[in-house]
Amino acid sequence: MSHFIAQPKQGVPFVSVQAMAKLINKVGIENVLLELTQRLEHDFARWDEFDKSPRYAAHSPDGVIELMPVSDGKMFSCKYVNGHPKNTFKELQTVAAFGILSDVDSGYPVMISEMCLLTALRTAATSALVAKYLAPKHSTTLTLIGNGAQSEFQALAFKAVLGITHIRLYDIDKNASQKAFNNLSNCGLNVTICNSAKEAVQGAHIITTCTADKKNATILTSDMIPQGVHLNAIGGDCPGKTELDSQLLTRANVFVEYEPQTRIEGEIQQMSDTFAVTEFHKVINKQTPGRTSNNELTIFDGVGFASEDFTALVYIKDALVAAGEFELLDLITQQADPRNLFSVLNTEQSNKSVSQEQVA
Amino acid sequence: MSHFIAQPKQGVPFVSVQAMAKLINKVGIENVLLELTQRLEHDFARWDEFDKSPRYAAHSPDGVIELMPVSDGKMFSCKYVNGHPKNTFKELQTVAAFGILSDVDSGYPVMISEMCLLTALRTAATSALVAKYLAPKHSTTLTLIGNGAQSEFQALAFKAVLGITHIRLYDIDKNASQKAFNNLSNCGLNVTICNSAKEAVQGAHIITTCTADKKNATILTSDMIPQGVHLNAIGGDCPGKTELDSQLLTRANVFVEYEPQTRIEGEIQQMSDTFAVTEFHKVINKQTPGRTSNNELTIFDGVGFASEDFTALVYIKDALVAAGEFELLDLITQQADPRNLFSVLNTEQSNKSVSQEQVA
């Protein structure tokens, strides 16, 4: 930690996609998801310490570019993230993200990281954390509706955190389900591909909806879902993009991350402003009960909040320090006299932007 | 241009501090400032095309961390920038900044760049552009009050754009003036160090105030400034940080970049909400006159607006393409099937984050 904060003049620690993949593989993805869930639990418990605001969103015909800043007074984080469903047809990511972590006292960035992988991890860990409090006890079967980029991370987070053993897959595109099946079959999970959403939800204790279309869709209708299950609805995450039949919301106890943002972006954008929801941190802090009976339908209307990215970035920073090795990016000028910025032009060296740092 | 937009899968073009210094030296700093001023003039003229908002600011006891997003519907830019005056005492930059430029259609970042140097360049070029419209004709003498990181860039921008030949320096810290003197003496300018602000403003056609203290200071009092000069007041740029006697503002015609932001951050935070100011783009677009007589006192209450960073980032992107050589950052995952994010973990390669790209 002290290395990052105390010696910003050496450069900005950088986590590339390959470095992130290497780190995840080294720790083990299920361990990462489990540790991240613990960190999220800790940070949701200190919810009031975060300086929160709904994210900044620049909408365009094909998508949205968002900035998600948050601070706990000591560290500041911001994620840049887009959402462009049609990117899939250009062989580009629907969601391309990266993040920055800064030291509030100096304003200096202390880490820049890819967040394509990290967003998938934190989204899955958040889903698992919420389900830990809201899903029926002894849940073993998870249904995944929408088998895109997030699905394997969901499956493994629920396995690591809740002990899920059975996965039921459904996607309107069979190839997506086959892809998830192939990836998950070697992970110690019993995986089934289903032919419809209705078939997929049979026997499920937990259902994750995570589809990508930017429209008001009805992936699940009310008649398909019995009481007693936990719905993890994470695909509806921007204005005009929802997945659930509003009747389902009416039947359920609905939990959200940060109410002002979810009213704009979540499933509850379909409902009136007075539709009752519960912020999840209140469940962790025992200010309100979570699931109260086996017969209750619970819904997590997850849209992704900046504090989750904060938690994930701090976790990765600590993991990097523990690993004792990271790259440094030549992003901030480092002249001896801060006022002599002009001197940087006279001391231009060989064009070396990333160096490898070995930490004692 | 097409290379950046059409092939995001190769990585994100990255401009390190050293790459920026190399580029500036290759083009020549005065050419860069001149070209950047022309680009700013072009972009201020199409002011209405930009999607504008006051910047996001996270204030802390010692400083502020800001995000400055803006879009023209085709490109999106965001600068991360801090302002921590006390950093100087830790041998850190008062202002450490970097920026991102994105393609609105795909949401993909097309460039990430250092902006310590680039912010200094764009601030100086903006000052020079505004003075081109507001300063007295045939101005030859520029006074710089506050001789920190920005001062040499100011001097050279006014030389390149307005033909300034004489520079008068004053700073409460003599070492800062000596530093600026040493840097500027070989640049074809006649440079004088002065013992007081009052002495420094003698004979000046243009006066730049650019001091760093985060407080309501009075660097210039009304009695020191005759009619007929142009005051380029750029140091007052956050709540609680001003440089000018309010009487000076009352005597002058005051021009601003983006009124909603300047009301919060600029010199005019001292004045009532109804104090009249003119947005500078109206002068460029001939919707309002600039300087109307030799006897007029004009003040540019400059705080720095996101569109200036946008202009600067697009300029650097084009310069990179022209140079035909840039680095690529491994920041966004690039798997063949966008939905198969999980596969990135299985195809982890050697940990190479920056590659060099040669463009045909």
Side-chain angles (χ1 to χ4, degrees), chain B residues 36 115 118 122 307-317:
Chain B
L36 200 44
M115 289 193 79
L118 192 56
R122 76 84 157 124
S307 70
E308 296 152 25
D309 300 307
F310 177 100
T311 302
L313 286 166
V314 173
Y315 170 72
I316 292 299
K317 177 182 74 66

Side-chain angles (χ1 to χ4, degrees), chain B residues 241-255:
Chain B
K241 181 167 183 284
T242 57
E243 296 180 319
L244 301 184
D245 187 347
S246 63
Q247 281 189 34
L248 268 171
L249 295 164
T250 309
R251 276 173 51 202
N253 283 324
V254 178
F255 298 81

Side-chain angles (χ1 to χ4, degrees), chain A residues 41-317:
Chain A
E41 191 166 21
H42 175 79
D43 282 348
F44 267 106
R46 61 186 190 101
W47 182 254
D48 290 341
E49 294 175 23
F50 288 93
D51 178 23
K52 296 173 283 289
S53 57
R55 55 185 150 199
Y56 169 94
H59 293 277
S60 57
D62 284 346
V64 62
I65 292 173
E66 297 172 332
L67 301 172
M68 302 171 68
V70 75
S71 170
D72 71 349
K74 289 173 188 151
M75 306 290 277
F76 166 92
S77 76
C78 180
K79 180 166 80 171
Y80 170 100
V81 58
N82 76 316
H84 284 69
K86 291 182 188 166
N87 273 3
T88 301
F89 306 113
K90 306 177 211 167
E91 292 192 5
L92 299 179
Q93 307 298 309
T94 304
V95 173
F98 69 93
I100 173 175
L101 190 66
S102 302
D103 170 40
V104 167
D105 283 345
S106 70
Y108 266 57
V110 297
M111 188 177 78
I112 290 185
S113 176
E114 84 81 37
M115 288 192 79
C116 292
L117 289 167
L118 193 56
T119 295
L121 291 166
R122 76 85 157 124
T123 300
T126 302
S127 288
L129 172 63
V130 173
K132 185 179 143 183
Y133 283 85
L134 296 182
K137 287 209 188 308
H138 315 300
S139 292
T140 54
T141 299
L142 167 69
T143 292
L144 295 173
I145 312 265
N147 304 147
Q150 170 65 201
S151 51
E152 295 88 349
F153 298 89
Q154 284 278 320
L156 293 176
F158 280 98
K159 174 174 184 274
V161 177
L162 276 87
I164 286 292
T165 52
H166 287 68
I167 305 289
R168 295 175 69 79
L169 300 170
Y170 175 68
D171 195 294
I172 50 170
D173 179 354
K174 260 279 166 24
N175 292 329
S177 299
Q178 192 60 51
K179 176 267 316 177
F181 181 90
N182 294 345
N183 283 329
L184 289 173
S185 292
N186 296 323
C187 297
L189 285 161
N190 188 319
V191 189
T192 309
I193 297 180
C194 302
N195 292 309
S196 68
K198 193 173 181 178
E199 182 190 331
V201 300
Q202 298 299 318
H205 302 107
I206 304 169
I207 301 163
T208 290
T209 55
C210 188
T211 58
D213 261 2
K214 188 178 176 178
K215 64 180 181 191
N216 292 112
T218 306
I219 309 300
L220 296 178
T221 52
S222 188
D223 60 294
M224 290 160 67
I225 309 299
Q227 292 299 105
V229 308
H230 174 62
L231 251 173
N232 179 48
I234 59 172
D237 62 355
C238 73
K241 182 167 183 284
T242 56
E243 296 180 319
L244 299 185
D245 186 347
S246 62
Q247 281 189 36
L248 268 172
L249 295 163
T250 309
R251 278 174 50 204
N253 283 327
V254 179
F255 297 82
V256 302
E257 290 139 315
Y258 177 56
E259 187 176 334
Q261 180 176 309
T262 311
R263 292 268 175 214
I264 299 168
E265 302 174 358
E267 294 299 328
I268 58 169
Q269 63 186 278
Q270 306 177 63
M271 313 305 278
S272 78
D273 288 349
T274 55
F275 180 77
V277 298
T278 303
E279 285 191 337
F280 173 65
H281 62 93
K282 292 182 180 172
V283 179
I284 288 194
N285 284 326
K286 302 194 195 327
Q287 293 164 357
T288 186
R291 171 173 291 272
T292 52
S293 83
N294 286 336
N295 200 36
E296 183 181 345
L297 175 63
T298 52
I299 295 181
F300 173 48
D301 186 1
V303 296
F305 184 61
S307 71
E308 295 153 24
D309 300 307
F310 177 100
T311 303
L313 286 166
V314 172
Y315 171 71
I316 291 299
K317 177 182 74 65

Side-chain angles (χ1 to χ4, degrees), chain B residues 180-328:
Chain B
F181 181 90
N182 295 345
N183 282 331
L184 290 172
S185 292
N186 296 322
C187 295
L189 284 163
N190 187 320
V191 190
T192 308
I193 298 180
C194 301
N195 293 308
S196 67
K198 192 172 181 179
E199 180 191 332
V201 300
Q202 297 299 318
H205 302 107
I206 304 167
I207 301 162
T208 290
T209 54
C210 188
T211 58
D213 261 2
K214 189 177 174 180
K215 63 180 181 192
N216 292 112
T218 306
I219 310 297
L220 296 177
T221 52
S222 188
D223 60 295
M224 290 160 67
I225 309 297
Q227 291 300 102
V229 308
H230 173 61
L231 251 173
N232 178 50
I234 59 172
D237 63 354
C238 74
K241 181 167 183 284
T242 57
E243 296 180 319
L244 301 184
D245 187 347
S246 63
Q247 281 189 34
L248 268 171
L249 295 164
T250 309
R251 276 173 51 202
N253 283 324
V254 178
F255 298 81
V256 302
E257 290 140 314
Y258 178 55
E259 186 176 335
Q261 181 176 307
T262 311
R263 292 267 174 213
I264 300 168
E265 301 174 359
E267 294 298 329
I268 58 170
Q269 63 185 278
Q270 305 176 63
M271 313 305 278
S272 79
D273 288 350
T274 56
F275 180 78
V277 298
T278 304
E279 285 192 337
F280 173 66
H281 63 93
K282 293 184 180 170
V283 179
I284 287 193
N285 284 326
K286 302 196 193 331
Q287 294 164 356
T288 187
R291 170 173 291 272
T292 52
S293 84
N294 286 336
N295 200 37
E296 184 180 344
L297 175 63
T298 51
I299 295 181
F300 173 48
D301 187 1
V303 297
F305 184 61
S307 70
E308 296 152 25
D309 300 307
F310 177 100
T311 302
L313 286 166
V314 173
Y315 170 72
I316 292 299
K317 177 182 74 66
D318 293 348
L320 277 196
V321 173
E325 186 184 298
F326 48 83
E327 297 172 283
L328 293 171

Side-chain angles (χ1 to χ4, degrees), chain A residues 8-9 14-26 29 51 53 56-65 67-71 73 76 78 80 82 84 87-88 90-98 100 102-109 112-117 120 147-150 152-153 156 171 173 175-176 179 183-184 187 325 327 329-354 356, chain B residues 8-9 14-26 29 51 53 56-65 67-71 73 76 78 80 82 84 87-88 90-98 100 102-109 112-117 120 147-153 156 171 173 175-176 179 183-184 187 325 327 329-354 356:
Chain A
K9 296 190 77 174
F14 172 61
V15 188
S16 66
V17 172
Q18 289 302 319
M20 184 65 78
K22 190 177 169 185
L23 190 67
I24 295 166
N25 284 337
K26 189 175 169 185
I29 184 165
D51 178 23
S53 57
Y56 169 94
H59 293 277
S60 57
D62 284 346
V64 62
I65 292 173
L67 301 172
M68 302 171 68
V70 75
S71 170
F76 166 92
C78 180
Y80 170 100
N82 76 316
H84 284 69
N87 273 3
T88 301
K90 306 177 211 167
E91 292 192 5
L92 299 179
Q93 307 298 309
T94 304
V95 173
F98 69 93
I100 173 175
S102 302
D103 170 40
V104 167
D105 283 345
S106 70
Y108 266 57
I112 290 185
S113 176
E114 84 81 37
M115 288 192 79
C116 292
L117 289 167
N147 304 147
Q150 170 65 201
E152 295 88 349
F153 298 89
L156 293 176
D171 195 294
D173 179 354
N175 292 329
K179 176 267 316 177
N183 283 329
L184 289 173
C187 297
E325 188 186 298
E327 297 171 284
L329 213 53
D330 171 31
L331 190 66
I332 308 295
T333 57
Q334 303 175 42
Q335 73 280 11
D337 176 0
R339 295 171 307 185
N340 204 351
L341 181 61
F342 193 74
S343 67
V344 175
L345 298 178
N346 302 323
T347 55
E348 169 209 326
Q349 294 152 13
S350 68
N351 197 351
K352 186 169 68 82
S353 295
V354 172
Q356 203 75 27
Chain B
K9 296 191 77 173
F14 172 62
V15 188
S16 66
V17 172
Q18 289 301 320
M20 183 65 79
K22 190 178 170 184
L23 190 67
I24 295 167
N25 285 336
K26 190 176 169 185
I29 184 165
D51 179 22
S53 57
Y56 168 94
H59 294 278
S60 56
D62 285 345
V64 62
I65 292 173
L67 301 172
M68 301 172 69
V70 75
S71 169
F76 166 92
C78 181
Y80 171 100
N82 76 315
H84 285 68
N87 273 4
T88 301
K90 305 178 211 167
E91 292 191 4
L92 298 179
Q93 308 298 311
T94 303
V95 173
F98 69 94
I100 174 176
S102 301
D103 171 40
V104 167
D105 283 345
S106 69
Y108 265 58
I112 290 185
S113 176
E114 83 82 36
M115 289 193 79
C116 293
L117 288 167
N147 303 148
Q150 170 66 201
S151 52
E152 294 88 349
F153 298 89
L156 293 175
D171 196 293
D173 179 354
N175 293 328
K179 178 263 321 177
N183 282 331
L184 290 172
C187 295
E325 186 184 298
E327 297 172 283
L329 213 53
D330 171 31
L331 191 66
I332 308 295
T333 56
Q334 304 173 41
Q335 72 280 12
D337 176 0
R339 294 170 308 185
N340 203 351
L341 181 60
F342 194 73
S343 68
V344 176
L345 298 178
N346 301 324
T347 55
E348 170 208 325
Q349 295 152 13
S350 68
N351 198 349
K352 186 169 68 80
S353 295
V354 172
Q356 203 75 29

